[in-house]
Amino acid sequence: VSPPTQMVTRWWRFAPSPTAIIVTAVLAVVSSDGIVSGSSSPVVPDCNDANGPLPVSQLSDTTNSSVAGAAVGAADSGGTAMAAEKDERATQRAAGGGGSMKKSVPVISLAPLTGSDPAGRSRVVQEIGQACRTVGFFYVKDHGVPVELQNELEGCARSFFALPNEEKMQVRMDKGGKAWRGFFRVGDEQTSSIPDEKEGLYFGTEPAADAAPDPRPMHGPNQFPQQQPEMRALVLEYMAHMKRVGGLILVAIAESLGLEPTHFGKQFENPVELFRIFNYPPHDDQRFSKSYGVGLHQDYGYVTLLRQEEGSETCLQAQTLDGDFIDVPPISDTFVINLGDALEHNTGGLLRATPHRVLPRTSAKKPRMSFPYFYDPGWDAEMVSVVDVLAPDLQQAAAEARARQRDRWDNRRPEDFTGTYGQYLLSKVAGAFPRLFEDKLAS
């Protein structure tokens, strides 16, 4: 057994089994998870199913005056009245739908974090902290990422995914070796041993031109397609903005815990930056009858910043503490923020890495894209809990949060992990691309 494989076995002992994601039940009616009466396996819902009634969430009463104003902000930034109306509907769904549900996924303005009003900053810090301790998901607006850049990147990516597979495969991931960068085909990536119905491009921090080769896994140059020469500049500029916004959010999270703004700074001196562009085709029931766009999972690191294609249907869903799913629809010029395992681990469960999934697109006629960016600790950063330095009330809240936790979908316990973030990350990607991992990272 190769050393990396031994390491994965040592550091991540709770491998998922296929049965961990199969729900078996016989119900008289269709449940919120889509199980039909008399069926012993789940019915995979469609993205369009997300437009129906939502289960009552018990996640959060986070108050935020920005929720109702998201559509206004979109209209002010140049959107049409139709776009604003669509954003209003999306905002209502994010808030729980139709005014009858609790506000579960707040929309938070980041403007006060860079302004000169201490009271405004304090309010936003509290709102972010509340969202992180309850739903584990929130939207941010007023983030400073140019809309023009977002649109140009989306157009460039759309052109790439429209290419024939043989041309896209010129930058396939296995050509990137240990750097773990490049293109993968629909079905190559998997969640809990079931292929995801998406294709994508993987990027990471681009090393300086004169930098010596880094022998560590998941470090090295990106692969950019020759057919889109503009992609390099667009991706790197976008990642720089995401790193800036991720840093703002992380400082706010630290302050919400009563820590110094720079508390997590040492872990992020050389952060692991992972950027993905995903393309979700219409559902193919012949090849992917049991697949989701992405199966139920939790992210790996600290902070995920997701741009969803504007105007697309609602496919992203977050799982509540009581097991229901709530929609996280696209809202114009916002990013969806959620937390990963490492931050939950390092806060003793006080902050929540929320399970989430991307529904298959059974009724779709054209592809849909999303742009997740992962702002995570450095490769060699130790996974160390901050609970001991929290105020007593937060320590108690962390213990209570851990006691309330449901069993994970994969039967794993991140709180038991010890080691570096790089070791943890390797253990996770081994399951997402098992064959590629054995070929490129386990040697």
Side-chain angles (χ1 to χ4, degrees):
V1 179
S2 61
T5 304
Q6 289 176 333
M7 181 189 68
V8 169
T9 303
R10 176 184 175 188
W11 297 110
W12 196 249
R13 296 167 299 182
F14 301 95
S17 65
T19 57
I21 61 168
I22 301 299
V23 181
T24 56
V26 177
L27 302 176
V29 294
V30 178
S31 76
S32 62
D33 289 330
I35 299 177
V36 180
S37 174
S39 173
S40 62
S41 61
V43 173
V44 178
D46 176 27
C47 282
N48 288 348
D49 293 343
N51 294 323
L54 296 178
V56 176
S57 166
Q58 299 180 358
L59 282 177
S60 170
D61 283 320
T62 300
T63 56
N64 191 306
S65 59
S66 300
V67 171
V72 176
D76 290 345
S77 64
T80 64
M82 183 179 296
E85 181 180 356
K86 188 168 188 176
D87 282 343
E88 177 67 27
R89 293 196 301 268
T91 304
Q92 290 176 356
R93 296 191 63 74
S100 63
M101 305 296 181
K102 295 183 179 181
K103 294 178 181 178
S104 299
V105 186
V107 181
I108 301 175
S109 171
L110 295 184
L113 294 183
T114 56
S116 57
D117 177 16
R121 180 183 182 86
S122 177
R123 184 188 70 252
V124 170
V125 165
Q126 291 176 10
E127 290 170 351
I128 289 176
Q130 175 73 0
C132 291
R133 290 174 57 180
T134 52
V135 63
F137 266 73
F138 57 99
Y139 297 85
V140 296
K141 67 173 190 172
D142 304 325
H143 42 67
V145 182
V147 173
E148 296 79 9
L149 172 62
Q150 299 177 51
N151 292 339
E152 287 181 37
L153 179 59
E154 182 178 310
C156 179
R158 183 174 290 108
S159 297
F160 172 79
F161 288 120
L163 294 172
N165 253 2
E166 56 267 24
E167 293 189 42
K168 291 182 283 191
M169 290 292 282
Q170 292 173 10
V171 291
R172 63 187 183 271
M173 286 183 67
D174 64 352
K175 293 180 68 175
K178 289 187 175 182
W180 207 256
R181 316 282 171 85
F183 170 73
F184 67 89
R185 299 166 301 180
V186 177
D188 282 353
E189 186 169 14
Q190 62 185 39
T191 303
S192 296
S193 302
I194 296 178
D196 293 333
E197 199 169 9
K198 70 176 189 293
E199 60 183 342
L201 281 166
Y202 270 40
F203 301 100
T205 304
E206 180 72 3
D210 58 351
D214 193 326
R216 294 176 296 179
M218 304 184 73
H219 290 72
N222 290 295
Q223 295 192 82
F224 295 103
Q226 294 181 351
Q227 298 89 336
Q228 281 77 32
E230 70 277 19
M231 184 176 285
R232 176 188 176 92
L234 291 172
V235 164
L236 296 182
E237 183 180 357
Y238 185 85
M239 289 181 64
H241 278 288
M242 292 293 97
K243 185 177 182 179
R244 172 186 58 81
V245 177
L248 280 176
I249 294 171
L250 188 61
V251 166
I253 289 173
E255 292 182 13
S256 77
L257 297 172
L259 304 174
E260 291 296 321
T262 58
H263 183 89
F264 295 111
K266 187 174 182 181
Q267 288 189 321
F268 282 79
E269 290 176 351
N270 295 291
V272 171
E273 295 180 86
L274 304 175
F275 175 47
R276 316 296 192 225
I277 303 178
F278 292 147
N279 189 52
Y280 298 90
H283 179 62
D284 181 350
D285 196 54
Q286 296 299 313
R287 291 185 60 198
F288 300 102
S289 61
K290 297 181 180 179
S291 292
Y292 282 70
V294 182
L296 188 65
H297 67 286
Q298 278 140 300
D299 292 344
Y300 309 156
Y302 263 45
V303 179
T304 301
L305 302 89
L306 171 70
R307 180 183 186 271
Q308 301 188 80
E309 181 179 343
E310 293 186 11
S312 63
E313 71 271 41
T314 298
C315 293
L316 177 62
Q317 292 187 323
Q319 189 177 39
T320 71
L321 287 169
D322 56 9
D324 290 330
F325 287 92
I326 57 172
D327 291 349
V328 189
I331 299 178
S332 181
D333 197 23
T334 66
F335 295 102
V336 177
I337 310 300
N338 66 278
L339 311 181
D341 283 343
L343 188 54
E344 179 175 307
H345 170 283
N346 288 359
T347 59
L350 180 62
L351 306 187
R352 184 166 183 252
T354 302
H356 52 286
R357 66 187 185 183
V358 178
L359 300 177
R361 308 181 64 245
T362 305
S363 304
K365 303 299 182 184
K366 62 180 182 179
R368 165 190 176 270
M369 288 189 295
S370 68
F371 303 78
Y373 171 91
F374 304 91
Y375 186 60
D376 296 340
W379 185 265
D380 299 315
E382 292 287 334
M383 298 268 278
V384 178
S385 175
V386 301
V387 172
D388 289 344
V389 299
L390 297 180
D393 61 324
L394 292 181
Q395 292 184 16
Q396 179 64 29
E400 292 173 356
R402 185 66 76 197
R404 287 195 305 269
Q405 274 193 342
R406 296 163 49 89
D407 290 339
R408 279 176 59 116
W409 54 276
D410 58 1
N411 294 324
R412 291 172 167 174
R413 294 174 55 86
E415 62 267 30
D416 291 342
F417 179 84
T418 58
T420 66
Y421 180 66
Q423 292 167 334
Y424 182 80
L425 183 57
L426 270 186
S427 75
K428 299 290 284 186
V429 301
F433 290 93
R435 182 176 300 177
L436 187 62
F437 177 85
E438 288 298 325
D439 289 345
K440 301 300 179 182
L441 297 184
S443 60

